[in-house]
Amino acid sequence: MKVAIINKSKHALPKYETSLSAGVDLRANIDLPIVLKPLERALVKTGLFIALPEGYEAQVRPRSGLAFKNGITVLNSPGTIDADYRGELGVILVNLSNTDFTVNDGERIAQLVVAKYEQANFVEVTELDETSRGAGGFGSTGVK
């Protein structure tokens, strides 16, 4: 699949790091470092603009290394980029650690995964079919 991309950043185009990678890394495209204090969030621009084909979305997801080592994650994870969006890709980062974290220009801050989707045709009914689970939610299927 081809995805049109405009790169206004100072960095190379995103690329898959291995032949089986599901996502590409997004890099911060900033003039000055951003210091995230504990529980602080910031919108970090990437300098990238994309046009997805109809029936596809791009999901912005956290990078596991940043999350595990530094407590940095994507706040609205996964963030959805719709096929008709043409603005600059931005990543809402949040610092869930107890220490300051500095985002530097060119730093890999998130992953982008392109995924196919279908739009649902919602049909109003008066009752739903029965299942063994029923209305059980949040932990109702057990712990083990």
Side-chain angles (χ1 to χ4, degrees):
M1 168 194 11
K2 292 183 180 178
V3 174
I5 186 167
I6 295 174
N7 184 1
K8 292 186 179 181
S9 79
K10 304 176 279 294
H11 314 292
L13 284 177
K15 64 182 179 67
Y16 294 94
E17 296 297 330
T18 71
S19 63
L20 298 179
S21 293
V24 297
D25 289 329
L26 294 176
R27 294 181 181 273
N29 187 60
I30 52 181
D31 294 325
L32 298 170
I34 297 171
V35 177
L36 287 174
K37 297 190 176 309
L39 299 180
E40 194 171 51
R41 64 188 176 273
L43 177 62
V44 182
K45 298 293 189 162
T46 65
L48 301 174
F49 302 74
I50 61 174
L52 295 165
E54 184 177 341
Y56 288 85
E57 66 163 326
Q59 300 172 359
V60 179
R61 300 179 180 182
R63 292 193 67 244
S64 56
L66 273 182
F68 180 67
K69 295 174 186 172
N70 304 105
I72 304 301
T73 192
V74 176
L75 191 56
N76 63 326
S77 180
T80 296
I81 299 167
D82 294 308
D84 57 353
Y85 177 69
R86 295 296 182 268
E88 182 175 3
L89 303 187
V91 178
I92 304 169
L93 289 182
V94 63
N95 182 355
L96 298 179
S97 77
N98 295 321
T99 59
D100 291 359
F101 180 81
T102 302
V103 180
N104 293 299
D105 182 54
E107 185 158 0
R108 297 179 301 163
I109 55 171
Q111 295 184 76
L112 188 73
V113 174
V114 176
K116 192 173 181 92
Y117 71 88
E118 289 189 44
Q119 286 188 335
N121 180 16
F122 293 97
V123 178
E124 190 169 3
V125 297
T126 57
E127 59 184 54
L128 301 175
D129 60 317
E130 294 293 326
T131 67
S132 60
R133 182 175 183 174
F138 301 116
S140 67
T141 60
V143 228
K144 294 185 182 194

